[in-house]
Amino acid sequence: MDHPVLDQLVLAYGALFNAKRQPAITRLTLHPLVGAPAELADGVLAMLAADWPETNGPLALNPTSEPLLHALLERPAPAHIQLEVPAFMAADPASAELLRAHAKTGSVLVLKGRPLAPLPPDLAGCFKHVIVDAAEDRRQQPAPANAPARSTPWVIAAAPTATVAADALKRGALAVQGWPLGDAPAANVARKDVPASAQVVMDLIQRVDREEPANKLDAVLRGDPALAFKLMRLINSPAFGLSVEVSSFQHAIMILGYQRLKRWLALLMTSAVDSPDLKPLMFLAVRRGLLMEDLARGLGDESARSEAFICGVFSLLDRMLGQPFDRLLSSLPVAEGVAQTLVGENGPYRQSLNLAIAIEAESPHDITDATGEMLLSAGEVNRAAWKALLASRQMQPE
């Protein structure tokens, strides 16, 4: 995983969610650093060949510079690697032959935005799907009754709300690029009932915090077999690399200990919400936790890494449960540093949370600023991000 190319760019990632609210396509933004070598494209493709096999699913590349995009177009890529091409380039006759040649190799192209004028049919046929901004999509709605069906599968980007995203999927969109997180609940929001499964997990976290006997914890979990199944599946996920298969909750405590068990319960907390539109947030929360845990390795002890992981996983819990953090944390025991970070703008994990958010937003300049604030190099951050991306892919349901 120690690829030299990771020292030569700013890496960011996203996901495209399908109608089942599952991450169907992973998106990787590549922003070359000043002075990056011309062979950057070779390094990117070598990294993907080593770490992103076809079994990992489709991966869309979003290069931010024309030289890198042109270099990638000059090199064939396997069919599960997609290359995004901006509409202005597709409409440029000078680039058309390069696009046609790339598509003829079996490589996959994606059109980013709509050209001002229709593309020639043979060139339009080179693109697997088109990415349409939500604002443009709304301007086209409602479509005339006699309007022809969309000839190319389409993906909606920059959806402002989950309602807009869900509506696009109902109208036939292939996917939604980046799921809208929504606003954090206001302090005066009405109290809502916490889902029963979430209450069970909160109870378990409190009992683990008190280090109650394993048989008592096991009895609580047996009352919700679906949660017990989810927990065993999480614990035995390849992402966490246990050398033995954990067969029961008591076995988990014996293998992991109480403190390490908290991370799995934190993951379980995000899966205890039933709303389909919250599934993407669960995925994003897990990926945040994995990234923040890796960024915390420089802090030293395992407890700091565990707290950083829980902080990342819980960072979207207010949106999932519709309650502000100060209210949630009154019944959900977390370390003081985690609470400080989630409730306010300070706290020991605030900088790494800000960096994780910048990476998810695929904003190279914000990533660079947040990286500098943490006194890290681009390579260090990229390696943590790439590792988190691969680990989160291992945790996705098949």
Side-chain angles (χ1 to χ4, degrees):
M1 199 177 296
D2 189 18
H3 304 287
V5 71
L6 292 173
D7 294 310
Q8 299 164 353
L9 47 74
V10 174
L11 201 66
Y13 48 55
L16 280 68
F17 295 92
N18 61 19
K20 294 182 178 179
R21 304 333 188 236
Q22 295 290 351
I25 302 173
T26 304
R27 188 171 193 249
L28 200 62
T29 290
L30 308 166
H31 182 74
L33 292 173
V34 175
E39 298 79 17
L40 187 62
D42 292 324
V44 169
L45 294 175
M47 179 179 74
L48 299 182
D51 291 349
W52 199 275
E54 186 177 1
T55 52
N56 273 15
L59 177 69
L61 300 182
N62 173 39
T64 63
S65 77
E66 286 192 52
L68 177 56
L69 175 55
H70 275 274
L72 288 169
L73 283 169
E74 292 167 354
R75 294 156 173 79
H80 68 286
I81 304 297
Q82 306 175 359
L83 184 59
E84 295 183 6
V85 177
F88 73 84
M89 181 177 175
D92 177 16
S95 302
E97 289 310 310
L98 181 58
L99 296 173
R100 290 185 177 99
H102 188 74
K104 285 180 181 178
T105 67
S107 302
V108 176
L109 295 174
V110 172
L111 185 61
K112 189 164 55 176
R114 293 192 182 279
L116 296 178
L119 299 177
D122 68 319
L123 182 57
C126 293
F127 296 99
K128 189 176 183 67
H129 61 258
V130 59
I131 301 172
V132 181
D133 187 90
E136 178 190 347
D137 183 61
R138 289 199 300 276
R139 285 195 296 269
Q140 297 176 354
Q141 297 301 320
N146 60 348
R150 294 177 188 260
S151 58
T152 304
W154 54 291
V155 165
I156 188 170
T161 66
T163 301
V164 171
D167 175 67
L169 291 169
K170 286 180 181 178
R171 289 187 286 106
L174 176 70
V176 173
Q177 181 180 295
W179 196 264
L181 302 182
D183 296 326
N188 61 351
V189 69
R191 286 188 177 272
K192 297 181 180 179
D193 292 333
V194 176
S197 294
Q199 290 179 340
V200 172
V201 181
M202 291 169 77
D203 181 32
L204 279 170
I205 292 175
Q206 290 173 329
R207 291 172 182 268
V208 167
D209 208 48
R210 296 193 296 267
E211 297 192 3
E212 291 190 4
N215 63 326
K216 289 188 176 182
L217 298 174
D218 200 33
V220 173
L221 196 58
R222 280 201 303 269
D224 195 326
L227 269 183
F229 172 77
K230 288 181 180 179
L231 180 61
M232 290 302 105
R233 188 174 63 183
L234 284 170
I235 290 176
N236 291 306
S237 165
F240 294 108
L242 295 182
S243 57
V244 297
E245 182 174 350
V246 174
S247 57
S248 69
F249 196 57
Q250 294 191 51
H251 188 202
I253 294 174
M254 181 179 71
I255 295 293
L256 304 171
Y258 286 94
Q259 294 307 310
R260 289 185 65 198
L261 187 60
K262 282 185 179 180
R263 64 183 280 140
W264 277 269
L265 290 175
L267 288 175
L268 196 61
M269 188 70 175
T270 66
S271 65
V273 184
D274 296 328
S275 171
D277 285 345
L278 294 178
K279 287 183 180 180
L281 271 65
M282 299 173 197
F283 170 78
L284 296 172
V286 171
R287 196 175 59 190
R288 265 190 201 182
L290 292 167
L291 173 60
M292 290 177 63
E293 178 187 36
D294 203 82
L295 290 172
R297 293 189 184 280
L299 297 180
D301 59 11
E302 184 178 345
S303 64
R305 295 195 294 273
S306 178
E307 288 181 11
F309 175 81
I310 291 173
C311 186
V313 171
F314 281 179
S315 63
L316 292 172
L317 202 58
D318 59 337
R319 290 164 171 82
M320 293 183 197
L321 298 179
Q323 299 291 294
F325 275 120
D326 54 358
R327 190 179 300 168
L328 285 174
L329 298 182
S330 65
S331 56
L332 184 61
V334 295
E336 182 179 356
V338 175
Q340 288 175 345
T341 301
L342 295 178
V343 173
E345 290 300 315
N346 297 312
Y349 308 109
R350 171 50 58 181
Q351 288 183 331
S352 59
L353 178 56
N354 289 343
L355 177 54
I357 292 171
I359 291 174
E360 292 166 12
E362 300 182 68
S363 174
H365 297 297
D366 290 338
I367 295 169
T368 300
D369 289 344
T371 297
E373 289 177 3
M374 294 190 68
L375 303 179
L376 296 174
S377 68
E380 289 173 312
V381 172
N382 289 336
R383 285 172 176 81
W386 187 236
K387 182 178 179 181
L389 187 62
L390 294 175
S392 63
R393 176 60 189 86
Q394 288 182 315
M395 298 179 69
Q396 287 178 225
E398 298 298 334

